[in-house]
Amino acid sequence: MSVGKTGSGAARAGRTGRRPGNADTRTAILDAARIRFADNGFDKTSIRAIAGDAEVDPALVHHYFGTKQQLFAAAVDFPVDPESTLSAVDRAPLAELGDTIVRAVVTVWDSPAGPGIVAMVRSMLGGGELNLARSFLLQVVLERVRTRIATAEDDGRARTALAAAQLMGVLIARKIVGIEPLASMPIDDIVTAVGPSVQRYLTGDLDSGR
Amino acid sequence: MSVGKTGSGAARAGRTGRRPGNADTRTAILDAARIRFADNGFDKTSIRAIAGDAEVDPALVHHYFGTKQQLFAAAVDFPVDPESTLSAVDRAPLAELGDTIVRAVVTVWDSPAGPGIVAMVRSMLGGGELNLARSFLLQVVLERVRTRIATAEDDGRARTALAAAQLMGVLIARKIVGIEPLASMPIDDIVTAVGPSVQRYLTGDLDSGR
């Protein structure tokens, strides 16, 4: 399941009676978005510019895809709407970020979206061609967590990178390499084991405290 | 650079005057080892059985490849001799395992062997075919760490799996996905940041202690 696919032109036609031709409009918007995001990154790309390239009204872009972040997720074929995880991050108290993030991401990996995420990670690791999924992870997902923990003294970049590395490692060990007993460990046990590590990376003392 | 390759028949011929035909013997031993290790795993495979399949004397296998572990490393084209890292694990006090392991593995990744390790990890993540490198990691490398930390109450399997997941994540973030500032972080900073996490996974309280 990919973001936006359930709202594709063909599917919508069945539900709303819109002409199948709308699928072309969606495709044009996604194509324009991929080029813009790849060339200019997330921050410097506007919905207005993408709409201009696709020769549609910006309102139609919002109508089809929602926010700019959601459009990026659809453009990179992100297997889930990251908003559900990221809003959990926004809501959690700082002292509970570690457990909250681990529980949210492992829940998604273990959901029916899991195989799509594994495929995306594999493509990200394959390297070579321009990788929009990687850009999305770095420019949108990690940035959202970083702004949550940044302080005047610490921009939080190293912290979010370390937390991301920890989570990628658990994903790969659990879902790709299949290292037991981690591969079949109940989610509560993973949260108990890994949550404190992520918490320390995000808000703990990384210079000493050993 | 791969384990055993510097001792290949052709290279040895130049140094010792042995006939190039020895390269065929080495190849026969490696082929037999790959089949035996794949079919029976590390523990149930003997040097004697491999020698029998290759129709050579077991002493010759030891002469060319050293220990059974070193033969397995050569058979899977492991990019470094894991013995140097594993002997560091053997020597380190339990309370310093985390820092010791992180420093040892990051040093190897950052060495000229790094690209070979990245290639091996990519092949391990590619999935599909029988993966001897994965077997080697699980049956030899992790087992060696596990026996170091196992107690009467805890066989250490979950602990080594969690530590391995942490290290794989850092490797992938640093060397494959390239998440800054982790990708260019000095090794001392990585040891300070990640060492305590690995230490906690291996010897800390994973059930509570938050």
Side-chain angles (χ1 to χ4, degrees), chain A residues 43-178:
Chain A
D43 284 340
K44 292 187 181 141
T45 296
S46 68
I47 292 278
R48 178 164 298 275
I50 292 167
D53 293 349
E55 301 182 346
V56 301
D57 192 274
L60 195 66
V61 178
H62 285 296
H63 174 71
Y64 278 160
F65 295 100
T67 65
K68 186 169 80 166
Q69 175 191 299
Q70 287 171 315
L71 173 59
F72 198 175
V76 305
D77 220 24
F78 212 69
V80 290
D81 185 348
E83 192 52 39
S84 57
T85 303
L86 291 173
S87 64
V89 171
D90 289 342
R91 286 193 308 270
L94 270 188
E96 292 169 20
L97 272 185
D99 284 10
T100 302
I101 291 174
V102 172
R103 184 173 296 282
V105 298
V106 177
T107 299
V108 173
W109 302 341
D110 289 354
S111 78
I117 293 172
V118 168
M120 188 195 67
V121 168
R122 280 206 165 118
S123 111
M124 201 183 302
L125 300 179
E129 90 289 14
L130 185 74
N131 201 308
L132 268 181
R134 176 182 175 283
S135 304
F136 182 74
L137 176 71
L138 299 183
Q139 295 174 13
V140 178
V141 179
L142 295 196
E143 266 303 287
R144 182 87 162 263
V145 177
R146 189 188 70 73
T147 55
R148 188 76 214 285
I149 59 164
T151 65
E153 296 78 36
D154 182 345
D155 66 11
R157 288 180 70 231
R159 292 179 177 280
T160 46
L162 287 162
Q166 169 67 86
L167 292 169
M168 278 197 301
V170 175
L171 170 67
I172 287 161
R174 182 173 177 85
K175 293 292 184 184
I176 301 184
V177 179

Side-chain angles (χ1 to χ4, degrees), chain A residues 99 122 125 134 138 157-158 161 165-166 169 172-173 176-181 192-194 196-197 200-201 206-207 210, chain B residues 99 122 125 134 138 157-158 161 165-166 169 172-173 176-181 192-194 196-197 200-201 206-207 210:
Chain A
D99 284 10
R122 280 206 165 118
L125 300 179
R134 176 182 175 283
L138 299 183
R157 288 180 70 231
Q166 169 67 86
I172 287 161
I176 301 184
V177 179
I179 302 183
E180 290 294 2
T192 305
V194 180
S197 296
R200 178 173 159 276
Y201 289 139
L206 295 185
D207 295 324
R210 270 85 85 60
Chain B
D99 284 11
R122 281 203 165 120
L125 300 179
R134 176 183 176 281
L138 299 183
R157 288 180 70 231
Q166 168 68 85
I172 287 161
I176 301 185
V177 180
I179 302 183
E180 290 291 1
T192 305
V194 180
S197 297
R200 179 173 158 274
Y201 289 139
L206 295 185
D207 296 324
R210 268 86 85 65

Side-chain angles (χ1 to χ4, degrees), chain B residues 28-192:
Chain B
I29 294 169
L30 286 175
D31 288 346
R34 286 188 190 104
I35 293 169
R36 283 272 172 184
F37 284 130
D39 286 350
N40 304 327
F42 181 73
D43 284 340
K44 293 188 181 138
T45 296
S46 68
I47 292 276
R48 178 163 298 275
I50 292 168
D53 293 347
E55 301 182 348
V56 301
D57 190 275
L60 195 67
V61 178
H62 286 296
H63 174 71
Y64 278 161
F65 296 100
T67 65
K68 186 170 80 166
Q69 174 190 301
Q70 287 171 314
L71 173 60
F72 198 176
V76 305
D77 222 23
F78 211 70
V80 290
D81 185 347
E83 192 52 39
S84 56
T85 303
L86 291 173
S87 63
V89 171
D90 289 342
R91 285 193 309 268
L94 270 188
E96 293 169 20
L97 272 185
D99 284 11
T100 302
I101 291 174
V102 172
R103 184 173 296 281
V105 298
V106 177
T107 298
V108 173
W109 302 341
D110 289 356
S111 78
I117 292 172
V118 167
M120 189 195 67
V121 169
R122 281 203 165 120
S123 111
M124 202 182 304
L125 300 179
E129 90 289 15
L130 184 74
N131 201 308
L132 269 181
R134 176 183 176 281
S135 304
F136 183 74
L137 177 71
L138 299 183
Q139 295 174 12
V140 177
V141 179
L142 295 196
E143 267 302 288
R144 182 87 162 264
V145 177
R146 189 189 70 73
T147 55
R148 188 74 215 284
I149 60 164
T151 65
E153 296 78 36
D154 182 345
D155 67 10
R157 288 180 70 231
R159 293 178 177 280
T160 47
L162 287 162
Q166 168 68 85
L167 291 169
M168 277 198 300
V170 174
L171 170 67
I172 287 161
R174 182 173 177 84
K175 293 292 183 183
I176 301 185
V177 180
I179 302 183
E180 290 291 1
L182 186 52
S184 52
M185 189 178 282
I187 184 169
D188 286 346
D189 293 356
I190 297 183
V191 172
T192 305

